Amino acid sequence: MKVAVVGYGTIGKRVADAVAAQDDMKLVGVFKTTPDYGAILAARRGYRIYAPDDRRENFRKAGVEVWGGLADLISEADIVVDATPDGVGAENKGLYVKAGRPAIFQGGEEADVAEVSFNALANFESAVGKRFVRVVSCNTTGISRVLSALRLNGLGIRKARIFIARRGADPREYKKGPINDVVPNPATIPSHHGPDAKTVLGDVDIVTVAVAVPVTIMHMHMAYIELDDTPSRERVIDALASTPRILLFDVKAGYNSLAQIVEWARDMGRPRGDIWEVAVISDSVTVNGRELYLMYGVHQEAVVVPENIDAIRAVGRLADKWTSIEKTDKALGIIAHGKRYG
Amino acid sequence: MKVAVVGYGTIGKRVADAVAAQDDMKLVGVFKTTPDYGAILAARRGYRIYAPDDRRENFRKAGVEVWGGLADLISEADIVVDATPDGVGAENKGLYVKAGRPAIFQGGEEADVAEVSFNALANFESAVGKRFVRVVSCNTTGISRVLSALRLNGLGIRKARIFIARRGADPREYKKGPINDVVPNPATIPSHHGPDAKTVLGDVDIVTVAVAVPVTIMHMHMAYIELDDTPSRERVIDALASTPRILLFDVKAGYNSLAQIVEWARDMGRPRGDIWEVAVISDSVTVNGRELYLMYGVHQEAVVVPENIDAIRAVGRLADKWTSIEKTDKALGIIAHGKRYG
């Protein structure tokens, strides 16, 4: 499966690396609009750079060879991953339709850009053979994984109320805030994450409330979930621990804050310090009758990357759900719990 | 040369990795006081862990094998790198003296802990064959490299006035501030960095002023330097660009802020996103007669790491200055300018 990555920012560059790491797909090139250091590093990795026709001269001046324009890149691929800024994917869709190429969009697009919204644990099968699939956003991915972990382990959900402290900006977004404020984001309730989670989880009673805080490293969710049953804490911990792409971090091992979890990822030698897994603060997992409380971190730069790879496989019918999840995770170096693959 | 690393925090863990990457020294073990995730990851890397006798049980409970106590580790090494918190190095020194082992201390110790303070570019030779050497702190290392780059290229310094926006804490220091403040650090002038720089640069007229800001990624220095001569800007740029462990970053390539330089390091696949080089904002390099202005970033977690390796070589007489610098840089993956080695 020949894959084009359109948009080479926070998500695009990571998806490109992840595609290049798989043995059943090939990165044919990336489309980038500015000849900055990102373009230079991509070229140095051996990725073919495609750029807008009217900017090729700028790329050439920066020493970056350009292999063609957007239409050229699309025509050389079997599938496109569109990781452009919010709304640009919808504008690009016409080109993918015209070229007869399937495409994966990101969560910044409206749900109706695609036939189906996607999270590997929640609804892999619904994307199989589809032409247009949208990977839900980082926060929605976090929610979908945690709620799926419960469901997959027989813990039905009566309702979920999730309170999100969003990172204000990505590390490289030096102009974006807030820097000393807490911003209702949005002020209206629910935030878009709850309804968005329903696009992959189906009928679930979920309300989300979100604020933005002066942080660039990760989101933090504080979840209150009412279960059908009254499980032990151990059963919930086991459900989380046995699910791929969820990791548990104990305060007693030194994980006192999200920064410590980031430090772990750096010490692990992960590329860019990426945390592809949902990072559950294990000490926070509390069960009180039907009530479950927990906190978990979501690395906004990385968490959707494995989902994009699985979405490619679903569209291309390259593998079934658990085979794809395991394959993606092994190729990326995601920590395997070993229980729940297949 | 068998090397022990005592203290396995921000600097110690990086020095351990750097030692392990050299072909003329061997890491015999690391001394650590808490069995947190850092200990677990160190053990997984194959490093032998040494711990205080009264805490061995805690390490064992965390699944970390302990090879002995501090005295055991010291006795197995030819040299010790002490990377313990400020002041602990001086307390440990008696053990090194007693065991007859030379030691490298960090800049958090007072200068009199050692026979000589050290920066590879500034005064490698003065550490050759010494028993106790102190690598100056991250900020002082940055200053020493920039002023050495000028001197090594024939640009004499009349005076240097350097204004420092210090990072408030390291990324993992979740309890440390400031978070919304600018703190004179110290309020008295000069800050310790100026006098400290003289310990490696010798007689230079330098005054430093420092504030702490709500940042964890890097320090930023704003330097005003009066030169003996009136060089062209190009000559200064060439002096900086031709000196090892100094890199130039252009705003037009997308390096608009320190976070962008960190992003570059992450995209480069560097371990922990480390930036061992002084990161000069090239657009800031301004020459006006004898006056030179520039801004540069200093990655507090990483910048002293290559200096520790060179200090080991100086003490052990393993290599001369330029051979050691080149060897260290190649082993770590530091970008070589190719001009100034030897």
Side-chain angles (χ1 to χ4, degrees), chain A residues 13-14 36-37 41 44-45 171-172 174 180 253-257 259-260 263 266-268 272 301, chain B residues 13-14 36-37 41 44-45 171-172 174 180 253-257 259-260 263 266-268 272 301:
Chain A
K13 64 187 177 186
R14 288 173 167 83
D36 58 11
Y37 64 93
L41 294 184
R44 198 183 296 174
R45 284 186 190 214
R172 67 197 184 99
Y174 70 103
N180 180 36
Y255 300 105
N256 296 287
S257 73
Q260 297 279 357
E263 187 83 354
R266 297 171 79 200
D267 287 346
M268 285 285 286
R272 302 186 175 92
E301 299 176 288
Chain B
K13 64 188 176 185
R14 288 174 167 83
D36 58 11
Y37 64 92
L41 296 183
R44 199 183 296 173
R45 284 185 190 215
R172 67 198 184 100
Y174 69 103
N180 181 37
Y255 300 105
N256 295 287
S257 74
Q260 297 279 357
E263 187 84 355
R266 298 170 79 201
D267 286 346
M268 285 285 287
R272 301 184 174 94
E301 299 174 290

Side-chain angles (χ1 to χ4, degrees), chain B residues 104-132:
Chain B
I104 313 294
F105 297 95
Q106 306 305 311
E109 303 299 323
E110 299 295 329
D112 64 8
V113 77
E115 296 158 89
V116 62
S117 289
F118 180 85
N119 172 266
L121 285 177
N123 71 336
F124 184 99
E125 288 85 358
S126 65
V128 172
K130 292 286 190 304
R131 294 195 64 74
F132 296 106

Side-chain angles (χ1 to χ4, degrees), chain B residues 91-294:
Chain B
E91 291 172 20
N92 287 344
K93 188 182 174 186
L95 294 170
Y96 310 144
V97 170
K98 195 176 152 197
R101 296 294 185 278
I104 313 294
F105 297 95
Q106 306 305 311
E109 303 299 323
E110 299 295 329
D112 64 8
V113 77
E115 296 158 89
V116 62
S117 289
F118 180 85
N119 172 266
L121 285 177
N123 71 336
F124 184 99
E125 288 85 358
S126 65
V128 172
K130 292 286 190 304
R131 294 195 64 74
F132 296 106
V133 172
R134 167 181 166 266
V135 171
V136 292
S137 71
C138 46
N139 279 305
T140 308
T141 296
I143 293 167
S144 302
R145 285 196 195 152
V146 169
L147 298 188
S148 293
L150 299 173
R151 283 179 166 180
L152 287 165
N153 286 278
L155 293 164
I157 294 157
R158 284 200 179 175
K159 62 183 191 185
R161 303 290 179 261
I162 299 179
F163 303 84
I164 305 177
R166 302 181 69 170
R167 78 9 170 178
D170 285 344
R172 67 198 184 100
E173 296 176 316
Y174 69 103
K175 282 190 179 176
K176 213 173 152 191
I179 56 168
N180 181 37
D181 205 352
V182 181
V183 185
N185 187 238
T188 51
I189 293 171
S191 67
H192 74 275
H193 311 95
D196 202 27
K198 292 183 194 177
T199 67
V200 294
L201 291 165
D203 188 31
V204 58
D205 178 356
I206 182 169
V207 175
T208 50
V209 180
V211 295
V213 294
V215 157
T216 63
I217 55 174
M218 293 176 86
H219 305 293
M220 179 75 100
H221 292 199
M222 294 169 282
Y224 160 65
I225 298 164
E226 238 180 77
L227 300 166
D228 288 336
D229 209 347
T230 58
S232 67
R233 178 175 186 271
E234 288 62 41
R235 184 156 166 225
V236 173
I237 290 277
D238 185 66
L240 296 166
S242 65
T243 302
R245 301 179 189 167
I246 294 179
L247 282 180
L248 291 147
F249 291 86
D250 285 357
V251 169
K252 70 173 182 295
Y255 300 105
N256 295 287
S257 74
L258 291 182
Q260 297 279 357
I261 294 171
V262 172
E263 187 84 355
W264 165 84
R266 298 170 79 201
D267 286 346
M268 285 285 287
R270 290 187 164 205
R272 301 184 174 94
D274 280 354
I275 304 167
W276 303 287
E277 302 92 340
V278 169
V280 174
I281 313 297
S282 56
D283 309 63
S284 75
V285 179
T286 301
V287 179
N288 186 6
R290 294 186 192 287
E291 296 185 354
L292 164 62
Y293 299 85
L294 74 158

Side-chain angles (χ1 to χ4, degrees), chain A residues 211-287:
Chain A
V211 295
V213 294
V215 157
T216 63
I217 55 174
M218 291 176 87
H219 305 294
M220 179 75 100
H221 291 199
M222 294 170 282
Y224 161 64
I225 298 164
E226 238 180 79
L227 300 166
D228 287 336
D229 210 346
T230 60
S232 67
R233 178 175 185 271
E234 288 62 41
R235 185 160 165 221
V236 173
I237 289 278
D238 184 66
L240 295 167
S242 66
T243 302
R245 301 180 188 167
I246 294 178
L247 282 179
L248 290 147
F249 292 86
D250 283 358
V251 169
K252 70 171 182 296
Y255 300 105
N256 296 287
S257 73
L258 291 182
Q260 297 279 357
I261 294 171
V262 172
E263 187 83 354
W264 164 84
R266 297 171 79 200
D267 287 346
M268 285 285 286
R270 289 186 164 205
R272 302 186 175 92
D274 280 352
I275 304 167
W276 304 286
E277 302 91 340
V278 168
V280 174
I281 312 299
S282 56
D283 308 64
S284 75
V285 179
T286 301
V287 179

